Structures are given as C-alpha cells and as structure tokens.
Amino acid sequence: MSIRYVDTPVGRLAVEADQDAVTSVRWAGDGESAHDTSTNQVLDEALRQLDRYFAGRLRHFELPLAARGTDFQKRVWKLMCDIPFGGTATYGGMAIALGSGPRAVGMACGRNPIPIIVPCHRVLGSGGKEGGFSGGKGLPTKRQLLAIEGVVLL
C-alpha cells in the first residue's frame, strides 16, 4: 500500500493505492505529512487526474478503483460514478434504482472510501437539499465541490 498527499482547494488529501488500484481518498489529519517516495503508477495517475479536476480540466475520472465495502455499498458507489460532472442525483432516486431506502443509500454515501473520485458530493436530499457530507469540513466542502462542477444549490 502506498500513500501520497496533495493540497487541493478543499484541503489536504491523502490518496492511497495498491499496485493495481486506488483504495482510499481521505482528508489528511493535522500534522500528517509523510511522503511515500515509492514508485506507484496508479497514485501518479490519480494525483494527475485530481490536479486536472481541481483545475477545471477533467470531468470524468478514469482510474482503477478497489473500494472495500459490502455488496450494497459497492452498488451505491457504482451508481454514484454514473452521475455526470455537473449533475446531481437524490438519495431517494438512487434508492428507487437500487430497490432500497434513502437512508441506506445515505449511509453508503457516508462510508464511501474514495470521495471526489467516486462523487458522493453529487448526491442530494429531496427537493435539492444538501443532505450530508462526511468529508473535509462537511457541507461547506460539499458545496465547494459542487461549485467546482458548476452546480449552484439554492
């Protein structure tokens, strides 16, 4: 497992990968600054794509992913990857598509180990309400990610 850190407009991120796929993106804790210098092409590409995303030059991530979770969580995360850049979905709409309930979808969103790349920030509550967000500074970070994509919440 390798880890790299990157400063972004939404805070310092720790990106983890094995040799084959990205396994985690998380907000780095205070004082967390170790830098892995091992060769990892997956991490190199992930950081390149994140940089392009935050610069407004990438609309869809093309990375191998290996998120750990339940079968249901993986189905939710896969469905989130289908939400286009600048688009949104609702917990309820996703629940209907999965034959589940909105609360279960929300819980799976909150357990997404690869936020931003697996765009849980694009999932909203009914009527376009923000819902929740477990990364960064919570809802302000969700709003910031949506604004990067041109989504303005009312």
Side-chain angles (χ1 to χ4, degrees):
M1 189 69 62
S2 297
I3 185 169
R4 300 267 173 75
Y5 296 88
V6 60
D7 292 313
T8 74
V10 296
R12 187 169 180 76
L13 299 176
V15 183
E16 299 177 9
D18 57 25
Q19 290 301 315
D20 301 317
V22 174
T23 57
S24 172
V25 172
R26 61 181 172 76
W27 276 261
D30 290 338
E32 188 176 349
S33 62
H35 181 72
D36 182 311
T37 57
S38 64
T39 302
N40 187 305
Q41 293 177 339
V42 172
L43 273 178
D44 293 343
E45 182 61 19
L47 294 184
R48 187 183 75 74
Q49 288 188 33
L50 282 165
D51 182 58
R52 291 184 65 226
Y53 170 81
F54 285 112
R57 296 189 321 263
L58 181 82
R59 294 176 161 261
H60 181 76
F61 290 95
E62 298 270 343
L63 294 165
L65 306 176
R68 292 186 187 96
T70 67
D71 288 342
F72 177 75
Q73 289 169 338
K74 289 177 183 179
R75 288 175 44 219
V76 171
W77 303 334
K78 183 178 182 322
L79 193 57
M80 285 191 296
C81 288
D82 293 337
I83 305 168
F85 180 95
T88 60
T90 64
Y91 298 105
M94 290 179 67
I96 290 169
L98 294 166
S100 181
R103 182 166 282 158
V105 170
M107 295 290 288
C109 286
R111 296 195 192 290
N112 174 16
I114 310 175
I116 303 170
I117 295 170
V118 176
C120 51
H121 60 278
R122 296 178 187 158
V123 184
L124 305 175
S126 62
K129 295 180 183 142
E130 295 171 328
F133 192 69
S134 60
K137 296 179 180 174
L139 289 177
T141 300
K142 182 174 190 166
R143 282 186 222 109
Q144 193 173 1
L145 288 167
L146 289 170
I148 287 169
E149 297 184 14
V151 176
V152 178
L153 299 176
L154 303 176

